[in-house]
Amino acid sequence: MRIFQLTRYLLFTLLALAIVVMGAQLWHKRVWLAQQFPDTKVVPEHKDPRQYPNSMAQIQQSKKNWRAQKIPARQLSGSFTQMFRDDILAYWYGTAWGFYGTSETPQSGTIACGYFVTTTLRDMGVPLNRSALAQKPSEAMIRALVQPAYIQNLSKQTSWELNSVFLSKGTGVYIIGLDTHTGFILVDETGAHFIHSSGAFPYRVIKEPVAQSSILAQSKYRVAGQLTADPQFMQRWLNFQTNPTTP
């Protein structure tokens, strides 16, 4: 009887130990596992990354044409939003997140949230130092790009109020800084969306409605800078003729 009880105890102990070990392995691999089964609701189909250089070149050509036509930068906010959405961000959806990720190529390697912001803006033709800016706290990053008059603290708003604030301002692109995260708010005819390299499930570059984002809702701190409303930012973007070579 005593041998039977001892054997049962050892079996239960081994089973419990196996469960703990398996659980630890699954937790360690949670990012990899989540990336194998992305949520298609927040990971839109991406464009062919082989066409990315052509899209960047087309943006530069458009800027050259606008400069030749002497079109004021303040009139190009809608064009900036559309090109950033369709010719830059659309290539990055589904790219894997990594805490130390610094990829410069969509669908290749991993990219952290700050590097996602600075890399896509650089590829859009915004003059900046990708690495230096990506490593700044999110508010410092925003203030390096946007004048104070176009920066707003939105920490007290609920998710629905936050959504209403962005919709009320119309079409445009924002950088938003959170407790420990950053990304873009893009407002267009389809609504207001939070586009970011997510350090939570599904651990990829995603696009989700502002009102439905748990990351936005849970953050106690929120500050947003409206890039396309700032005439100084838009003028710097329009005047800059080539992508910087700084990493």
Side-chain angles (χ1 to χ4, degrees), residues 111-127:
I111 192 160
C113 61
Y115 273 94
F116 172 65
V117 169
T118 61
T119 301
T120 52
L121 286 177
R122 182 201 64 181
D123 293 350
M124 182 66 184
V126 176

Side-chain angles (χ1 to χ4, degrees), residues 80 121 145-146 173-175 184 225-231 233-234:
F80 182 103
L121 286 177
L145 294 169
V146 184
V173 178
Y174 302 75
I175 299 178
F184 296 107
Q226 190 173 9
L227 300 175
T228 49
D230 183 349
F233 171 86
M234 292 296 296

Side-chain angles (χ1 to χ4, degrees), residues 36-233:
Q36 307 315 303
F37 307 99
D39 185 348
T40 55
K41 293 180 181 178
V42 294
V43 184
E45 184 176 351
H46 62 77
K47 286 187 172 181
D48 183 351
R50 293 173 295 182
Q51 298 302 316
Y52 194 56
N54 292 336
S55 286
M56 289 190 288
Q58 290 170 4
I59 291 170
Q60 293 300 327
Q61 184 60 49
S62 294
K63 289 167 61 179
K64 181 179 180 180
N65 294 341
W66 289 327
R67 289 193 299 267
Q69 297 168 23
K70 300 187 184 304
I71 295 178
R74 64 178 180 275
Q75 296 181 14
L76 296 173
S77 60
S79 296
F80 182 103
T81 302
Q82 181 180 355
M83 289 192 302
F84 192 50
R85 178 193 64 196
D86 298 340
D87 300 326
I88 297 294
L89 296 178
Y91 288 94
W92 286 89
Y93 296 135
T95 303
W97 167 87
F99 187 80
Y100 298 106
T102 61
S103 175
E104 298 187 68
T105 306
Q107 310 307 318
S108 176
T110 63
I111 192 160
C113 61
Y115 273 94
F116 172 65
V117 169
T118 61
T119 301
T120 52
L121 286 177
R122 182 201 64 181
D123 293 350
M124 182 66 184
V126 176
L128 53 79
N129 184 305
R130 184 183 83 110
S131 295
L133 202 59
Q135 296 170 28
K136 289 180 178 291
S138 57
E139 183 171 350
M141 177 196 296
I142 292 168
R143 293 192 178 280
L145 294 169
V146 184
Q147 296 183 88
Y150 303 95
I151 298 173
Q152 186 174 4
N153 189 300
L154 300 167
S155 300
K156 295 182 179 180
Q157 277 77 5
T158 66
S159 295
W160 287 103
E161 289 171 343
L162 195 64
N163 187 61
S164 297
V165 167
F166 289 124
L167 290 177
S168 69
K169 295 179 182 296
T171 298
V173 178
Y174 302 75
I175 299 178
I176 189 163
L178 308 176
D179 293 336
T180 57
H181 193 48
T182 188
F184 296 107
I185 302 294
L186 191 143
V187 183
D188 61 11
E189 66 278 3
T190 67
H193 289 87
F194 182 31
I195 302 171
H196 58 117
S197 185
S198 178
F201 183 84
Y203 301 99
R204 291 182 177 275
V205 175
I206 66 175
K207 176 182 180 181
E208 54 184 339
V210 167
Q212 298 176 23
S213 171
S214 60
I215 293 178
L216 285 175
Q218 293 168 9
S219 182
K220 293 181 171 58
Y221 170 80
R222 306 186 203 103
V223 62
Q226 190 173 9
L227 300 175
T228 49
D230 183 349
Q232 189 176 95
F233 171 86

